[in-house]
Amino acid sequence: MHPSARFLTYTLPCSLLLAGSLLAGDLPKKPVKTYTIGQFMKTVRFGGADLSPDEKTVLYSSNQDGIFNLYEVPFAGGTPKQLTHSKTESLYVLGYLPDGRILYSADQGGNELTHIYLREKDGAVTDLTPGPNAKYQYAGLSHDRKSFYYQSNARNKAAFDVFEMDLATMKPRMIYENGGGFFPGDVSPDRRYIALGKTVTTTNSDAYLFNTQTKEVKNLTPHTGEVANSPQEFSPDGAKLLIRTDAGGEFAYVQAYDLKSGKTETLDKASWDIAADYYSYKGRYRVVSVNNDARTELRLIDTRSGQTVAMQGLPAGDVTGVNIGDSEGRMLFFVNSSNAPATLFSYDFAAKKATPLVRGLNPEIDPADLVTGEVIRYKSFDGMEIPALLYKPKDASATNKRPAILSIHGGPGGQTRLNYSPLVQYLVNAGYVVLAVNNRGSSGYGKTFYAADDRKHGDADLRDCVESKKFLAQTGYVVPDKIGIMGGSYGGYMTLAGLTFTPDEFAVGVDIFGVANWLRTLNSMPAWWGPQRDAMFKEIGHPQTDSVALYNKSPLFHTQRIKKPLLVIQGANDPRVLKIESDEIVANVTKNGVPVEYVTFPDEGHGFAKKENEIVAYEAVRKFLDKYLLGTETAQR
């Protein structure tokens, strides 16, 4: 994930609106069947999809065999064919080349140092970017389809240069040497310009244009104050560059910058953030995604008429990953929701027909047993309204009160969305109420809300989580003294901070890849984050000049205050939150005589790449919560 997404972005696969009365609801019409984590984890997850050059075949990556591999399936539907059989590294689709060969990416054991691989039609594989200790990021095919672009920090670990790989010779050439401070973006169709982004702070950035002929770098968005500007992509005719900005308002919208005149005009705007805005290959369609209150609202616009294309026959849910073929007659996308995992669809524009190709849900699970997430809001300690996503077990009522677990997303600056989560559905199926809190500092709710946690981490944002307990108690179906806290990455930090700085508020804590020592973590951020490191220092604190403040907000130095049971889950290869963070927090809390359980994975990084490891981790979460939140007498309900 690109570091502009803000820091430690592992988000628990969680998702979650205000409903009518939240008091005791009707009991389910039929008993809800309970399922194992193994059954929930038979859900198929996807890692991208692409159309073959003749648009008759769909390439995608999924973890259906336990780890991400490459598969093909006919566009019209049929039986998928597995192309790769990796057992150690997850392989993610980049796309087809014009001659039908395939590009994919993979790192080594979760270290995030991705390489780009070429798979020949006979299955032979070549690492096109074999340099050691460097990260290589695919940046798309050229508009004339004679080459592809990629970015590499092999020359300078803190800056990404841009290369063009000629498809005839498979030899790269550098087309932009990054002097530092920029994140490269799209290359114009005529190769004359490269879009660049420059981050000042997490809420202040600019879009630049690099002229490959004159070597001039031009700031397209000079401004005063806190404005976030970022380049998106060039229009297919090469006349304009789309720029995402929140200038003059709370939410991000998209402008079109005319390369010849230098003038800008607003292209797409909504009452929420425009999350993505891009053209199809020839420009007939524009795909606009709006982050509408933790949901993805898709607008597929026919640029000839300016009208939205209506697609019939789709299930309810978010339409994401839209990929329109070069002919602009066929398309791929995914549909998912809080109670239904993603399904891969193909779409024929002429026939106006959508075809489900690969369904994500395990057929052993009855969809009627799954729970739909609801967006709720509550007032925090200072009156700020906090959005959260609520999952209620179907049998929870005033006469059958249930324990609850807060789920805190990664970041800071992430957002829990209404997407399907096997872990959430597993816990709700086991009788736990799950509330995913989008505390202040979360993205998607305006730039004021986004910046409201700056320099207040582990304090104001944590108090938002504590305040959610009042909401849960008021539902009438939650046991007030049986509320725990759980999170991954920054959410793991929030878990540790909750047990440390508010030791009487949460009954248990589950920390997954969480920060324990800000001084070490900020000093050990990967070099390839470049200017994002400086932005993080400004937001959270600098390990040299703000060492006292960072010490005070680091749970590791205050573990004597922890007195509630803790489960820690850690990947040994994590390059963002080093394993020593978790080793030390476990050792220190153990000295308190507090129950501590520790689960480590030697072959994972910052997040899970292997399904078998996820199963082990989530089963450990369930057993831990049953033991210390439910109590052993109700552990096997």
Side-chain angles (χ1 to χ4, degrees):
M1 172 161 219
H2 198 284
S4 60
R6 229 175 155 191
F7 181 44
L8 307 163
T9 53
Y10 176 74
T11 303
L12 280 174
C14 234
S15 329
L16 302 251
L17 183 112
L18 188 61
S21 171
L22 293 173
L23 295 176
D26 294 333
L27 291 175
K29 295 180 180 179
K30 66 170 186 173
V32 174
K33 182 180 177 181
T34 56
Y35 301 95
T36 66
I37 186 57
Q39 289 175 299
F40 279 110
M41 288 305 299
K42 284 184 182 178
T43 297
V44 176
R45 286 167 49 201
F46 298 95
D50 193 32
L51 275 167
S52 62
D54 62 8
E55 299 188 356
K56 293 181 180 179
T57 305
V58 175
L59 171 70
Y60 66 96
S61 53
S62 89
N63 69 342
Q64 63 192 60
D65 72 336
I67 193 169
F68 283 90
N69 272 289
L70 308 185
Y71 298 79
E72 284 183 325
V73 64
F75 179 87
T79 302
K81 174 186 176 182
Q82 187 168 350
L83 301 182
T84 62
H85 298 83
S86 174
K87 301 298 183 183
T88 56
E89 311 297 348
S90 282
L91 313 183
Y92 296 99
V93 163
L94 296 176
Y96 286 105
L97 294 179
D99 61 6
R101 292 182 294 172
I102 291 169
L103 295 178
Y104 68 84
S105 69
D107 68 3
Q108 305 83 47
N111 66 1
E112 300 185 12
L113 299 179
T114 50
H115 286 215
I116 299 171
Y117 296 85
L118 172 67
R119 183 185 185 275
E120 304 285 353
K121 293 180 181 180
D122 64 2
V125 173
T126 302
D127 184 351
L128 298 178
T129 54
N133 303 317
K135 185 177 180 69
Y136 300 87
Q137 301 179 148
Y138 181 67
L141 286 171
S142 64
H143 200 261
D144 62 12
R145 300 312 197 229
K146 293 182 179 179
S147 61
F148 72 84
Y149 304 108
Y150 70 88
Q151 302 166 5
S152 166
N153 69 341
R155 181 188 60 84
N156 179 352
K157 294 297 182 284
F160 284 96
D161 301 324
V162 181
F163 293 80
E164 181 175 14
M165 180 78 77
D166 182 83
L167 295 182
T169 64
M170 283 299 174
K171 294 186 181 300
R173 68 181 183 94
M174 185 188 294
I175 60 174
Y176 169 66
E177 182 175 315
N178 192 346
F182 293 102
F183 291 117
D186 196 26
V187 180
S188 64
D190 62 1
R191 296 177 171 80
R192 181 173 180 179
Y193 298 106
I194 299 175
L196 305 173
K198 186 170 187 177
T199 298
V200 181
T201 69
T202 53
T203 55
N204 190 5
S205 55
D206 279 304
Y208 285 74
L209 199 64
F210 173 71
N211 188 318
T212 61
Q213 297 176 0
T214 66
K215 309 305 179 185
E216 175 192 11
V217 177
K218 181 181 180 181
N219 186 356
L220 306 183
T221 56
H223 65 275
T224 58
E226 295 289 308
V227 180
N229 302 290
S230 61
Q232 301 299 290
E233 68 161 28
F234 292 93
S235 58
D237 61 6
K240 297 178 180 180
L241 172 66
L242 304 190
I243 298 174
R244 186 173 181 262
T245 181
D246 59 11
E250 281 290 318
F251 295 96
Y253 57 99
V254 174
Q255 295 181 326
Y257 175 88
D258 189 287
L259 298 178
K260 184 173 291 187
S261 69
K263 295 180 179 179
T264 60
E265 62 176 349
T266 298
L267 185 64
D268 293 300
K269 198 169 188 177
S271 55
W272 297 90
D273 283 335
I274 301 289
D277 202 329
Y278 56 95
Y279 287 94
S280 57
Y281 176 62
K282 299 175 184 176
R284 177 172 178 176
Y285 300 104
R286 195 168 70 252
V287 180
V288 182
S289 293
V290 181
N291 181 358
N292 187 340
D293 208 9
R295 295 178 176 83
T296 299
E297 177 185 291
L298 177 72
R299 301 176 186 173
L300 181 60
I301 300 171
D302 189 324
T303 59
R304 299 172 304 174
S305 64
Q307 299 299 308
T308 299
V309 177
M311 294 188 295
Q312 305 297 324
L314 297 182
D318 291 3
V319 178
T320 61
V322 176
N323 187 345
I324 301 173
D326 284 3
S327 73
E328 300 185 321
R330 292 186 165 187
M331 176 173 66
L332 305 174
F333 56 87
F334 299 95
V335 179
N336 75 89
S337 65
S338 63
N339 64 345
T343 292
L344 173 60
F345 280 82
S346 63
Y347 186 81
D348 188 305
F349 282 96
K352 297 182 179 180
K353 180 183 179 182
T355 303
L357 301 179
V358 184
R359 298 183 185 276
L361 185 64
N362 177 6
E364 298 172 15
I365 295 177
D366 183 349
D369 291 331
L370 301 178
V371 173
T372 301
E374 299 179 283
V375 176
I376 63 92
R377 285 176 165 80
Y378 62 89
K379 296 288 187 180
S380 192
F381 64 95
D382 58 355
M384 180 173 281
E385 190 174 70
I386 305 300
L389 311 180
L390 175 69
Y391 286 91
K392 172 190 173 185
K394 295 196 174 189
D395 64 350
S397 69
T399 57
N400 185 34
K401 295 186 178 185
R402 307 305 311 156
I405 185 80
L406 302 187
S407 179
I408 314 302
H409 61 68
Q415 181 190 29
T416 300
R417 299 172 55 74
L418 282 159
N419 298 323
Y420 184 82
S421 163
L423 175 58
V424 168
Q425 292 292 344
Y426 174 55
L427 293 179
V428 176
N429 184 250
Y432 293 93
V433 175
V434 176
L435 183 71
V437 179
N438 280 318
N439 49 270
R440 69 188 67 201
S442 301
S443 59
Y445 303 101
K447 61 185 181 183
T448 299
F449 190 85
Y450 184 72
D453 68 337
D454 288 1
R455 298 281 177 144
K456 302 173 184 175
H457 303 93
D459 178 18
D461 51 2
L462 176 59
R463 294 175 71 184
D464 292 340
C465 299
V466 171
E467 289 296 314
S468 73
K469 292 176 56 187
K470 296 177 183 177
F471 165 81
L472 288 170
Q474 290 168 0
T475 64
Y477 53 74
V478 171
V479 183
D481 62 351
K482 288 187 177 293
I483 299 175
I485 184 169
M486 168 180 71
S489 190
Y490 185 80
Y493 164 70
M494 291 284 280
T495 296
L496 294 174
L499 296 191
T500 303
F501 305 127
T502 57
D504 297 312
E505 295 291 349
F506 300 106
V508 298
V510 177
D511 159 33
I512 305 176
F513 317 121
V515 176
N517 178 356
W518 279 115
L519 293 165
R520 180 191 288 121
T521 297
L522 291 172
N523 273 317
S524 63
M525 283 191 293
W528 54 266
W529 282 34
Q532 189 67 18
R533 289 163 56 113
D534 295 332
M536 289 301 303
F537 291 158
K538 291 175 182 177
E539 180 189 353
I540 295 179
H542 197 289
Q544 294 179 0
T545 58
D546 301 301
S547 59
V548 174
L550 292 172
Y551 177 94
N552 289 335
K553 68 175 63 175
S554 296
L556 178 64
F557 305 117
H558 312 283
T559 51
Q560 72 279 4
R561 302 178 63 181
I562 295 179
K563 55 186 179 182
K564 299 296 177 65
L566 172 65
L567 169 64
V568 177
I569 296 172
Q570 177 70 44
N573 300 324
D574 193 334
R576 303 190 180 204
V577 178
L578 304 182
K579 182 175 177 290
I580 192 172
E581 297 270 310
S582 294
D583 292 344
E584 292 178 345
I585 201 80
V586 168
N588 284 13
V589 176
T590 299
K591 295 176 184 177
N592 296 348
V594 174
V596 183
E597 297 182 10
Y598 192 22
V599 181
T600 62
F601 297 97
D603 53 353
E604 295 285 10
H606 196 67
F608 291 108
K610 298 175 176 64
K611 187 179 291 190
E612 61 182 325
N613 290 340
E614 268 190 292
I615 291 173
V616 171
Y618 298 160
E619 189 171 45
V621 171
R622 164 72 188 282
K623 289 181 177 179
F624 175 81
L625 294 179
D626 281 354
K627 182 175 182 180
Y628 295 108
L629 197 57
L630 272 179
T632 54
E633 69 279 6
T634 55
Q636 302 300 324
R637 59 183 299 276

